[in-house]
Amino acid sequence: MKNEERKSMVRQVCNRHRNQIPRLSKEDFAFFSKFIIVDLKRRIMYCPVPKAACTTWKAVFLELRGVTNIVDVHAQERESVFHLSDLSENEIQMVLRNFTKFMVVRHPFTRILSAYRNKLEPGGSFESTHKNDTKYYWRDKLASHILKIYRGRKTMKRYKEHRDEYDLTFREFSEFLSDHPDHAGAKNRHWKEFHSICYPCDIEYDYIAKVETLVNDSLLFLVGNGLSTHVTRYAGHATHSSSSSAVAEFYNNLPIETIEKLYRRYEMDFRLFGYDPKLLDGST
């Protein structure tokens, strides 16, 4: 599916299902604008979606700002690039009207699995790459609440005392997302719906890239904006969590009822961006 077809599909779904997709309110905009990256020189606005190549693209914008020694992408991005919230009201309106706007999406089911394997899976990549003071951040922040819901308070307390026994399952995480969508933890940006992160029904994006076709989509965006000779970080990166075999393995172990509930929560994302829930590799 080409970029123009993706944009057309978003417009059609927005018009057809407008009452089912949240509008960007003034209150939401204040939060939204803190995350939106703006390159004033090149007149580009980028909406980062966690677990959809956002680390790669934040590095791109750091490189465009002249940052060459990139050690911690997320920390350096907060310090070194402009965000929509840094601008005046007049500048914000100018950006929304006139700048090239860009976002990246990913098959919702694959993204959810990637988030689980990174943040909450026992022995996941977050815990393996963080020091002791932050190693169990996601366990204590969210997993303990999920365990309390599905296994009871005693289990939750035991896992805090015996860290090596922690075993939150992907099924429990998936059921939490679908059963408790209004829980603060279920609305975290790492698994929040695309339409409630970038608001594509309120903001018209000029380029909609997909993780599944990231190299070609990135080249289209970079060449189209005269950036191909300035940027080396554009191909994206894959992880073990996003391979088709891993996705199939995890989802084949979920009850069909859990998958159906999960689909219902993210249904508008599937529709907006043309993803098929039956094709877990992201094919369209």
Side-chain angles (χ1 to χ4, degrees):
M1 185 181 293
K2 296 181 180 180
N3 185 59
E4 289 303 319
E5 294 172 326
R6 293 173 185 170
K7 291 165 59 180
S8 177
M9 176 173 286
V10 167
R11 287 194 296 268
Q12 291 174 26
V13 174
C14 287
N15 291 333
R16 193 178 304 131
H17 299 280
R18 201 62 192 93
N19 293 333
Q20 296 170 260
I21 301 173
R23 299 298 298 261
L24 179 56
S25 67
K26 289 184 178 180
E27 294 76 14
D28 291 329
F29 189 86
F31 184 74
F32 160 84
S33 64
K34 294 178 182 179
F35 297 93
I36 303 303
I37 293 174
V38 177
D39 187 319
L40 296 171
K41 179 180 178 180
R42 297 168 182 83
R43 299 173 68 83
I44 296 171
M45 182 188 112
Y46 166 57
C47 178
V49 174
K51 312 310 298 180
C54 77
T55 300
T56 297
W57 276 99
K58 286 180 179 181
V60 168
F61 283 95
L62 283 170
E63 186 172 332
L64 290 173
R65 286 283 291 171
V67 179
T68 55
N69 184 25
I70 301 175
V71 179
D72 185 333
V73 168
H74 301 291
Q76 289 173 273
E77 172 257 328
R78 287 190 292 270
E79 297 173 357
S80 302
V81 304
F82 283 107
H83 297 87
L84 203 59
S85 58
D86 297 322
L87 307 181
S88 69
E89 181 60 33
N90 287 340
E91 290 172 324
I92 289 173
Q93 294 306 315
M94 179 191 68
V95 168
L96 295 175
R97 284 195 306 266
N98 301 324
F99 279 31
T100 298
K101 292 170 282 294
F102 174 61
M103 65 179 295
V104 184
V105 295
R106 184 181 191 176
H107 193 294
F109 284 167
T110 307
R111 176 174 173 248
I112 292 165
L113 176 60
S114 178
Y116 166 75
R117 299 200 71 179
N118 174 231
K119 306 298 184 187
L120 295 165
E121 183 181 38
S125 55
F126 181 88
E127 293 188 2
S128 66
T129 57
H130 284 72
K131 298 178 180 179
N132 290 334
D133 56 341
T134 58
K135 183 174 182 178
Y136 298 120
Y137 174 81
W138 285 99
R139 286 197 200 184
D140 295 337
K141 178 182 175 66
L142 181 60
S144 59
H145 296 289
I146 300 175
L147 290 169
K148 180 181 176 182
I149 290 171
Y150 293 104
R151 302 194 208 177
R153 186 182 296 272
K154 288 184 179 180
T155 299
M156 177 192 73
K157 289 183 176 180
R158 187 175 79 249
Y159 284 140
K160 284 190 174 183
E161 296 170 358
H162 303 281
R163 297 288 194 181
D164 59 331
E165 296 182 11
Y166 171 76
D167 63 349
L168 180 77
T169 66
F170 181 57
R171 176 177 177 175
E172 289 169 325
F173 177 61
S174 299
E175 292 187 343
F176 169 73
L177 293 181
S178 56
D179 291 342
H180 304 275
D182 294 325
H183 188 287
K187 295 191 288 186
N188 184 278
R189 286 177 57 82
H190 289 88
W191 38 83
K192 193 175 184 179
E193 296 89 338
F194 301 134
H195 64 71
S196 291
I197 293 177
C198 293
Y199 295 93
C201 291
D202 294 281
I203 296 171
E204 185 174 352
Y205 288 85
D206 302 286
Y207 290 87
I208 300 172
K210 291 189 172 185
V211 167
E212 296 80 12
T213 52
L214 188 60
V215 174
N216 288 338
D217 294 347
S218 298
L219 285 173
L220 176 68
F221 171 76
L222 293 167
V223 172
N225 288 277
L227 301 175
S228 57
T229 59
H230 298 283
V231 180
T232 58
R233 300 171 180 267
Y234 61 83
H237 63 279
T239 65
H240 67 288
S241 64
S242 60
S243 69
S244 57
S245 59
V247 174
E249 177 185 353
F250 275 84
Y251 278 94
N252 285 341
N253 288 323
L254 292 184
I256 187 64
E257 295 82 3
T258 301
I259 297 175
E260 289 173 347
K261 287 191 299 181
L262 205 56
Y263 170 74
R264 286 195 291 273
R265 169 169 174 179
Y266 293 91
E267 181 177 0
M268 287 301 109
D269 280 349
F270 279 98
R271 291 180 179 272
L272 282 163
F273 301 104
Y275 284 109
D276 186 339
K278 297 178 182 178
L279 298 174
L280 297 177
D281 62 355
S283 302
T284 55

Coordinates of all heavy atoms in Angstrom, one line a residue, residues 220-266:
L220 N 11.4 7.0 1.2 CA 10.5 7.9 0.5 C 10.4 9.2 1.3 O 10.4 10.3 0.6 CB 9.1 7.2 0.5 CG 7.9 8.1 0.0 CD1 8.1 8.3 -1.5 CD2 6.6 7.4 0.2
F221 N 10.3 9.2 2.6 CA 10.2 10.4 3.4 C 11.5 11.2 3.3 O 11.4 12.4 3.1 CB 9.9 10.0 4.9 CG 10.0 11.2 5.8 CD1 9.0 12.1 5.9 CD2 11.1 11.4 6.6 CE1 9.1 13.2 6.7 CE2 11.2 12.5 7.5 CZ 10.2 13.4 7.5
L222 N 12.6 10.6 3.4 CA 13.9 11.3 3.4 C 14.2 11.9 2.1 O 14.6 13.1 2.0 CB 15.0 10.4 3.8 CG 15.0 9.9 5.3 CD1 15.9 8.7 5.5 CD2 15.3 11.0 6.3
V223 N 14.0 11.2 1.0 CA 14.3 11.7 -0.3 C 13.3 12.8 -0.6 O 13.6 13.9 -1.2 CB 14.2 10.6 -1.4 CG1 14.3 11.2 -2.8 CG2 15.3 9.6 -1.2
G224 N 12.0 12.6 -0.2 CA 11.0 13.6 -0.5 C 11.2 14.9 0.2 O 10.7 15.9 -0.2
N225 N 12.0 14.9 1.3 CA 12.2 16.1 2.0 C 13.7 16.5 2.0 O 14.2 17.3 2.8 CB 11.8 15.9 3.5 CG 10.3 15.8 3.7 OD1 9.7 16.8 3.7 ND2 9.8 14.6 3.7
G226 N 14.4 16.0 1.0 CA 15.8 16.4 0.7 C 16.8 16.1 1.8 O 17.7 16.8 2.1
L227 N 16.5 14.9 2.5 CA 17.3 14.6 3.7 C 18.2 13.4 3.5 O 19.0 13.0 4.4 CB 16.4 14.4 4.9 CG 15.5 15.5 5.3 CD1 14.6 15.1 6.4 CD2 16.4 16.7 5.7
S228 N 18.1 12.7 2.4 CA 18.8 11.4 2.2 C 20.3 11.5 2.4 O 21.0 10.6 2.8 CB 18.4 10.8 0.9 OG 18.8 11.7 -0.2
T229 N 20.9 12.6 2.0 CA 22.4 12.8 2.1 C 22.8 13.2 3.5 O 24.0 13.2 3.8 CB 22.9 13.8 1.1 OG1 22.3 15.1 1.3 CG2 22.6 13.3 -0.3
H230 N 21.9 13.5 4.4 CA 22.2 14.0 5.7 C 22.1 13.0 6.8 O 22.6 13.2 7.9 CB 21.4 15.2 6.1 CG 21.5 16.4 5.1 ND1 22.6 17.2 5.2 CD2 20.7 16.8 4.1 CE1 22.5 18.2 4.2 NE2 21.4 17.9 3.5
V231 N 21.4 11.9 6.5 CA 21.0 11.0 7.6 C 21.5 9.6 7.3 O 21.4 9.1 6.2 CB 19.5 11.0 7.8 CG1 19.1 10.0 8.9 CG2 19.0 12.4 8.1
T232 N 22.1 8.9 8.3 CA 22.6 7.6 8.1 C 21.7 6.6 8.8 O 21.7 5.4 8.6 CB 24.0 7.4 8.6 OG1 24.1 7.8 10.0 CG2 25.0 8.3 7.8
R233 N 20.9 7.1 9.8 CA 20.1 6.2 10.6 C 18.6 6.1 10.1 O 17.8 6.9 10.6 CB 20.0 6.7 12.1 CG 21.4 6.7 12.8 CD 21.2 7.4 14.1 NE 22.5 7.6 14.8 CZ 22.9 6.7 15.7 NH1 22.2 5.6 16.0 NH2 24.1 6.8 16.3
Y234 N 18.4 5.3 9.1 CA 17.0 5.3 8.6 C 16.4 3.9 8.4 O 15.3 3.8 8.1 CB 16.9 6.1 7.3 CG 17.8 5.5 6.2 CD1 17.4 4.4 5.4 CD2 19.1 6.0 6.0 CE1 18.2 3.9 4.4 CE2 19.9 5.5 5.0 CZ 19.4 4.4 4.2 OH 20.2 3.9 3.2
A235 N 17.2 2.9 8.5 CA 16.7 1.5 8.2 C 15.9 0.9 9.3 O 15.2 -0.1 9.1 CB 17.9 0.6 7.8
G236 N 16.0 1.4 10.5 CA 15.3 0.8 11.6 C 16.0 -0.4 12.2 O 17.0 -0.8 11.7
H237 N 15.4 -0.9 13.2 CA 16.0 -2.1 13.8 C 15.0 -3.1 14.2 O 13.9 -2.7 14.6 CB 16.9 -1.8 15.0 CG 16.1 -1.2 16.1 ND1 15.7 0.1 16.2 CD2 15.6 -1.7 17.3 CE1 15.0 0.4 17.3 NE2 14.9 -0.7 18.0
A238 N 15.2 -4.4 14.0 CA 14.3 -5.4 14.4 C 14.8 -6.1 15.7 O 15.9 -6.1 16.0 CB 14.2 -6.5 13.3
T239 N 13.8 -6.7 16.4 CA 14.2 -7.4 17.6 C 13.6 -8.8 17.6 O 12.7 -9.1 16.8 CB 13.6 -6.7 18.9 OG1 12.2 -6.7 18.8 CG2 14.1 -5.2 18.9
H240 N 14.1 -9.6 18.5 CA 13.6 -11.0 18.5 C 12.1 -11.0 18.8 O 11.4 -11.9 18.4 CB 14.3 -11.8 19.6 CG 14.0 -11.3 21.0 ND1 14.5 -10.1 21.5 CD2 13.3 -11.9 22.0 CE1 14.1 -10.0 22.7 NE2 13.3 -11.0 23.0
S241 N 11.6 -9.9 19.4 CA 10.1 -9.9 19.8 C 9.2 -9.7 18.6 O 8.0 -10.0 18.7 CB 9.9 -8.8 20.8 OG 10.2 -7.5 20.3
S242 N 9.8 -9.2 17.5 CA 8.9 -8.9 16.3 C 9.0 -9.9 15.2 O 8.4 -9.7 14.2 CB 9.3 -7.5 15.8 OG 10.7 -7.4 15.4
S243 N 9.8 -11.0 15.3 CA 9.9 -11.9 14.3 C 8.6 -12.6 14.1 O 7.8 -12.8 15.1 CB 11.0 -13.0 14.6 OG 10.7 -13.8 15.7
S244 N 8.3 -13.1 12.9 CA 6.9 -13.7 12.7 C 6.8 -15.0 13.5 O 5.7 -15.3 13.9 CB 6.8 -14.0 11.2 OG 7.9 -14.8 10.7
S245 N 7.9 -15.7 13.7 CA 7.7 -17.0 14.5 C 7.4 -16.7 15.9 O 6.7 -17.4 16.6 CB 9.0 -17.8 14.3 OG 10.2 -17.0 14.8
A246 N 8.1 -15.6 16.5 CA 7.8 -15.3 17.9 C 6.4 -14.8 18.0 O 5.7 -15.1 19.0 CB 8.8 -14.2 18.3
V247 N 5.9 -14.0 17.1 CA 4.6 -13.5 17.2 C 3.6 -14.6 17.1 O 2.6 -14.7 18.0 CB 4.3 -12.4 16.1 CG1 2.8 -12.0 16.1 CG2 5.2 -11.2 16.2
A248 N 3.8 -15.5 16.2 CA 2.9 -16.7 16.1 C 2.9 -17.5 17.3 O 1.8 -18.0 17.8 CB 3.3 -17.5 14.9
E249 N 4.1 -17.7 17.9 CA 4.2 -18.6 19.1 C 3.4 -18.0 20.3 O 2.6 -18.7 20.9 CB 5.7 -18.7 19.5 CG 5.9 -19.5 20.8 CD 7.3 -19.5 21.2 OE1 8.2 -19.0 20.4 OE2 7.6 -20.0 22.3
F250 N 3.5 -16.7 20.5 CA 2.9 -16.0 21.6 C 1.4 -16.0 21.4 O 0.6 -16.3 22.3 CB 3.4 -14.6 21.9 CG 4.7 -14.6 22.7 CD1 5.9 -14.8 22.1 CD2 4.6 -14.4 24.1 CE1 7.1 -14.8 22.9 CE2 5.7 -14.3 24.9 CZ 7.0 -14.6 24.3
Y251 N 0.9 -15.6 20.2 CA -0.5 -15.5 20.0 C -1.2 -16.8 19.9 O -2.4 -16.9 20.2 CB -0.8 -14.6 18.8 CG -0.7 -13.1 19.2 CD1 0.5 -12.4 19.0 CD2 -1.8 -12.4 19.8 CE1 0.5 -11.0 19.4 CE2 -1.7 -11.1 20.1 CZ -0.6 -10.4 20.0 OH -0.5 -9.1 20.4
N252 N -0.5 -17.8 19.4 CA -1.1 -19.2 19.3 C -1.4 -19.7 20.7 O -2.3 -20.6 20.8 CB -0.2 -20.1 18.5 CG -0.2 -19.9 17.1 OD1 -1.2 -19.2 16.5 ND2 0.8 -20.3 16.4
N253 N -0.8 -19.2 21.7 CA -1.0 -19.6 23.1 C -2.1 -18.8 23.8 O -2.3 -19.1 25.0 CB 0.3 -19.6 23.9 CG 1.3 -20.7 23.5 OD1 0.9 -21.8 23.2 ND2 2.6 -20.4 23.4
L254 N -2.6 -17.9 23.1 CA -3.7 -17.1 23.7 C -5.1 -17.7 23.3 O -5.3 -18.1 22.2 CB -3.7 -15.6 23.3 CG -2.6 -14.7 23.7 CD1 -2.8 -13.3 23.2 CD2 -2.4 -14.7 25.2
P255 N -6.0 -17.7 24.3 CA -7.4 -18.2 23.9 C -8.0 -17.2 22.8 O -7.7 -16.0 22.8 CB -8.2 -18.1 25.2 CG -7.1 -18.0 26.3 CD -5.9 -17.4 25.7
I256 N -8.8 -17.8 21.9 CA -9.3 -16.9 20.9 C -10.1 -15.8 21.5 O -10.2 -14.7 20.9 CB -10.2 -17.8 19.9 CG1 -10.7 -17.0 18.7 CG2 -11.4 -18.4 20.7 CD1 -9.6 -16.5 17.8
E257 N -10.8 -16.0 22.6 CA -11.6 -15.0 23.2 C -10.7 -13.8 23.7 O -11.1 -12.6 23.6 CB -12.3 -15.5 24.5 CG -13.4 -16.6 24.2 CD -12.8 -17.9 24.0 OE1 -11.5 -18.1 24.2 OE2 -13.5 -18.9 23.7
T258 N -9.5 -14.1 24.1 CA -8.6 -13.0 24.5 C -8.1 -12.2 23.3 O -8.1 -11.0 23.4 CB -7.3 -13.6 25.2 OG1 -7.7 -14.3 26.4 CG2 -6.3 -12.5 25.6
I259 N -7.8 -12.9 22.2 CA -7.4 -12.2 21.0 C -8.6 -11.3 20.5 O -8.4 -10.2 20.0 CB -7.0 -13.2 19.9 CG1 -5.7 -14.0 20.4 CG2 -6.7 -12.5 18.6 CD1 -5.3 -15.1 19.4
E260 N -9.8 -11.8 20.5 CA -10.9 -11.1 20.1 C -11.1 -9.8 20.9 O -11.5 -8.7 20.4 CB -12.2 -11.9 20.1 CG -12.2 -13.0 19.0 CD -13.4 -14.0 19.1 OE1 -14.0 -14.0 20.2 OE2 -13.6 -14.8 18.2
K261 N -11.0 -9.9 22.2 CA -11.1 -8.8 23.1 C -10.0 -7.7 22.8 O -10.3 -6.5 22.8 CB -11.1 -9.2 24.6 CG -12.3 -9.9 25.0 CD -12.3 -10.1 26.6 CE -11.2 -10.9 27.1 NZ -11.2 -11.0 28.5
L262 N -8.8 -8.2 22.6 CA -7.7 -7.4 22.3 C -8.0 -6.6 21.0 O -7.7 -5.4 20.9 CB -6.4 -8.2 22.2 CG -5.1 -7.5 22.5 CD1 -5.1 -6.8 23.9 CD2 -3.9 -8.4 22.4
Y263 N -8.5 -7.3 20.0 CA -8.8 -6.7 18.7 C -9.8 -5.6 18.9 O -9.7 -4.5 18.3 CB -9.3 -7.7 17.7 CG -9.9 -7.1 16.5 CD1 -9.0 -6.5 15.5 CD2 -11.3 -7.0 16.3 CE1 -9.5 -5.9 14.4 CE2 -11.8 -6.3 15.2 CZ -10.9 -5.8 14.2 OH -11.4 -5.1 13.1
R264 N -10.9 -5.9 19.7 CA -11.9 -4.9 19.9 C -11.4 -3.6 20.5 O -11.8 -2.5 20.2 CB -13.0 -5.4 20.8 CG -13.9 -6.4 20.0 CD -15.2 -6.7 20.8 NE -15.0 -7.4 22.0 CZ -15.0 -8.7 22.1 NH1 -15.1 -9.5 21.1 NH2 -14.8 -9.3 23.3
R265 N -10.4 -3.7 21.4 CA -9.8 -2.5 22.0 C -9.1 -1.7 20.9 O -9.1 -0.5 20.8 CB -8.8 -2.8 23.1 CG -8.1 -1.5 23.5 CD -7.3 -1.6 24.7 NE -6.5 -0.3 24.8 CZ -5.7 0.0 25.8 NH1 -5.6 -0.8 26.9 NH2 -5.0 1.1 25.8
Y266 N -8.3 -2.4 20.0 CA -7.5 -1.7 19.0 C -8.1 -1.7 17.6 O -7.4 -1.4 16.6 CB -6.1 -2.4 19.0 CG -5.3 -2.2 20.3 CD1 -5.4 -3.1 21.3 CD2 -4.5 -1.1 20.4 CE1 -4.7 -3.0 22.5 CE2 -3.8 -0.9 21.6 CZ -3.9 -1.8 22.6 OH -3.2 -1.7 23.8

